[in-house]
Structures are given as structure tokens and as C-alpha cells.
Amino acid sequence: MLNDSDNILENIDKKTLLNLIQQSFSVKGLSESESMELAYAMVLEKKLDSEIPSIKSKEPLRVFLTHDVDWIYPSHIFSIIKMLSLRKDWISFLQLFQSNIFLKNIEKLLAFEKGQNVKSFFMLGSNDSKKCMGRYDIRYTLHHPSFKKLISLLTTNRIEIGLHSQNNFSYRDQVRNLERLYGCKVIFHRSHFNNFDPSVLWNILNRNGVDMDFSVGNAREVGFKMGIPRHYQAIDFRKEKILNTTVVPTILSDNAFFYQDRDIVFEQFKESLKTAKQFGASVAILFHPENMVIKPELWEYYEEIIHICKTEGALFI
């Protein structure tokens, strides 16, 4: 979040800020106080206290089905440590020796989505050889044989991909490396652990031609993280300009099912989706392929989530 956001936002002329926010949401009729509330929510400083009807869009409800690929082989040292710790939220001793278990599961996921007549976006890490051993690193590198197999699997199935970034090395390098290996422009993004500074990230994504960011979301909670119930254009508040990157909130992560009762998660999701529909929102849903190995009931949950979206008339992007 912006460490000096109070100064930045308070120092912007109120009419200028109002104009920026209205451009960001493609609406008119906001008050200056509403624009200030939205600005603080956009920089992740203050959650909206209540809905602001003026930001409703006339667009249909759109849903992005996304998958963050955090693991692609089970023999990574951190996987072994997690298994030896007897954690219930990780693979078993026998699964540890199934070298293709995560890749086979992705293959199964692609077939499942084809049967559901939906498409999804796979968010891939783009790590160099020294960046998979830190506490918050993605657990594979560009050079591992399993990554090459993953790229082959996704390209064969014509799957669109995005960058699942970590913030401890160059975003530009991560984008360029992934574009070189996948052979297409990277236009989607989500930060690993949803850990990012909006004043930095959105400018970098904008400069590198990344059109859409899914980083605003909660791993364990369902709904709109900062209370903004729709998508919007990112803003560079320092330079007082609208950026080309669209912020699409992630309203559900499968991690929520590890920490909350399934019925509560589904109830909150249905409410969030209805709100998104009322506001003409584009939203994202996140299921991790490796989680579907660890917790097989997620397959049933994922199918139900897709059904709920279809029932609400959502367009799958």
C-alpha cells in the first residue's frame, strides 16, 4: 500500500481527484467525498464503509476462471519438509514419489473444463534459478524439466496464460522471460500471496503492456477485499493519470475452503456474485491445481462454483 497515501491523496485537487476516479470507473455523478473514499480503497488503505451506487456499470457480469500454478513437481525441498511435518494441507508420503502428480492433475483440470464448456487462465511463475528457495517464492524455476512439460501441455491445449509474479526480482524480467518461453504477449497478472504495492505494481504492469491485474483479493476470505464491487482502471495518483491496466478483483480463492465451512464459503460467494452482477462487474475466481490434489473435494466445489456463475448468467471470459 502507499506509505504516503494520505499526503498524495490529500494533496490532489479535489476536482482533479473526482475526474480521475470517474474516468477510472467510466461513470459520472460521483461526489468529491465518494471519490476520496474510492481512492483510499484503491490504494488498499481504507475499506469502503458502504456501497456507492454511482459506480455501477452497464456491462454484463463477467467471470475470469484463473489458476495460480505454485507447484509443478512434488520433490521440491519445501514439499518434502511440509510432508515430513505431517501437515494435513499437503500431499502424502506416497504422493511425494509420483513425479508427475501435479502435471497430471493440470491435464485432468483442462479436460474437466472442456467438459464444462468453460475456459480458464493459468498464471505461471517466471523465476530464475536462484528464486525458488525463499520463504515466499514460487516453488519451481524456468529451467526445470517439469516447467517445459507444463508449457508444452498448455500450448497444446491453447490455454491463455498470465504472470504469477513474486516481488523480489524484476517484474520486467519476469514478463519478458514468460513471453519468450510461451511465445505470446503476457496480458494477465496476479501477485504471489496477493502481496504488492499498488503505487509500484500497476505502473510496472502498465509500462510492460499487461492489461489486467487480479491481485486485489483475499486468500482466505470471500468477497471484495476493499469493498469496491467491480473492476476499474488503475490510477497513478502521483502523476495524476489513468493507466491502461484494469484491476479485476478476485472474489474467491479455493484456500477459503481450507479455513471456513464450505456452506459459509458458498453462501458468501453467492452474495458476492449477486453484488457483482448488480454493479456490472468483471471478477476473478482462483483455484490452485495443487490444492485439488491435496483436497479432492475441491473438484466438486469448483463444479458448483461454475454452475452458480452460469445460473447468474455470467459470461466466462
Side-chain angles (χ1 to χ4, degrees):
M1 59 185 65
L2 297 173
N3 294 327
D4 55 352
S5 58
D6 283 340
N7 291 332
I8 292 172
L9 297 180
E10 293 293 344
N11 289 337
I12 299 177
D13 176 79
K14 290 183 178 181
K15 289 185 178 180
T16 300
L17 183 62
L18 174 60
N19 184 47
L20 286 170
I21 297 297
Q22 292 189 147
Q23 287 184 66
S24 173
F25 288 89
S26 299
V27 298
K28 295 181 179 179
L30 284 172
S31 68
E32 290 181 353
S33 62
E34 287 173 333
S35 69
M36 183 62 78
E37 286 183 57
L38 287 165
Y40 275 111
M42 291 169 76
V43 299
L44 312 184
E45 286 288 344
K46 300 176 184 177
K47 187 173 182 178
L48 292 184
D49 293 328
S50 58
E51 290 182 352
I52 300 177
S54 303
I55 63 171
K56 288 184 177 180
S57 163
K58 294 181 180 179
E59 299 176 27
L61 171 64
R62 292 184 171 90
V63 172
F64 291 81
L65 299 175
T66 67
H67 306 294
D68 289 355
V69 182
D70 294 337
W71 302 78
I72 54 176
Y73 59 95
S75 58
H76 189 284
I77 184 62
F78 275 87
S79 174
I80 296 171
I81 291 172
K82 290 173 73 169
M83 187 278 299
L84 292 175
S85 300
L86 302 178
R87 290 176 52 161
K88 294 182 179 180
D89 60 347
W90 196 239
I91 58 175
S92 67
F93 177 78
L94 292 178
Q95 289 173 322
L96 187 68
F97 296 97
Q98 299 175 38
S99 60
N100 289 329
I101 189 169
F102 292 143
L103 292 177
K104 287 292 185 182
N105 194 63
I106 289 174
E107 190 173 7
K108 177 183 176 182
L109 180 55
L110 295 175
F112 170 80
E113 290 176 338
K114 186 175 181 180
Q116 292 288 316
N117 196 29
V118 297
K119 71 176 218 177
S120 62
F121 301 84
F122 278 72
M123 317 301 289
L124 308 184
S126 184
N127 306 351
D128 66 23
S129 60
K130 299 178 182 178
K131 297 293 183 180
C132 73
M133 298 300 292
R135 171 65 179 85
Y136 297 106
D137 289 348
I138 292 168
R139 302 308 180 193
Y140 54 87
T141 73
L142 300 175
H143 312 291
H144 195 277
S146 292
F147 187 79
K148 295 177 182 179
K149 292 179 182 178
L150 173 63
I151 292 292
S152 177
L153 175 60
L154 296 179
T155 52
T156 298
N157 285 275
R158 298 181 179 179
I159 299 300
E160 290 192 67
I161 57 101
L163 172 64
H164 188 38
S165 70
Q166 53 191 67
N167 62 8
N168 56 350
F169 70 108
S170 168
Y171 283 97
R172 182 181 183 280
D173 288 349
Q174 291 178 77
V175 171
R176 295 294 174 260
N177 286 338
L178 197 55
E179 289 180 338
R180 173 176 54 83
L181 289 168
Y182 205 73
C184 69
K185 184 175 174 56
V186 170
I187 61 174
F188 305 101
H189 171 269
R190 181 184 285 109
S191 296
H192 194 36
F193 286 101
N194 305 116
N195 182 22
F196 70 101
D197 180 343
S199 67
V200 174
L201 175 66
W202 292 333
N203 275 286
I204 294 173
L205 297 181
N206 183 70
R207 287 198 302 270
N208 286 281
V210 179
D211 294 340
M212 201 160 292
D213 181 39
F214 303 125
S215 299
V216 177
N218 287 302
R220 302 179 183 182
E221 303 293 331
V222 183
F224 299 92
K225 180 175 181 177
M226 302 309 294
I228 302 177
R230 54 158 293 190
H231 59 287
Y232 49 88
Q233 293 300 114
I235 299 175
D236 182 340
F237 288 103
R238 289 190 174 92
K239 295 183 179 179
E240 300 180 4
K241 68 175 184 179
I242 303 295
L243 302 176
N244 293 322
T245 301
T246 300
V247 178
V248 173
T250 298
I251 63 171
L252 172 67
S253 168
D254 58 346
N255 287 328
F257 290 107
F258 286 86
Y259 296 94
Q260 299 187 54
D261 180 81
R262 68 169 300 283
D263 292 337
I264 293 175
V265 173
F266 275 111
E267 180 181 351
Q268 293 174 341
F269 174 70
K270 289 176 182 178
E271 292 176 0
S272 298
L273 198 66
K274 288 183 182 297
T275 299
K277 184 176 182 179
Q278 293 170 3
F279 278 81
S282 291
V283 296
I285 293 166
L286 166 60
F287 272 68
H288 296 78
E290 65 272 11
N291 280 350
M292 301 172 89
V293 173
I294 299 161
K295 193 177 179 70
E297 54 265 43
L298 286 175
W299 288 96
E300 173 193 337
Y301 300 167
Y302 186 42
E303 183 174 11
E304 180 62 18
I305 290 295
I306 292 172
H307 174 71
I308 292 169
C309 291
K310 289 180 177 179
T311 300
E312 285 295 336
L315 300 179
F316 291 101
I317 305 302

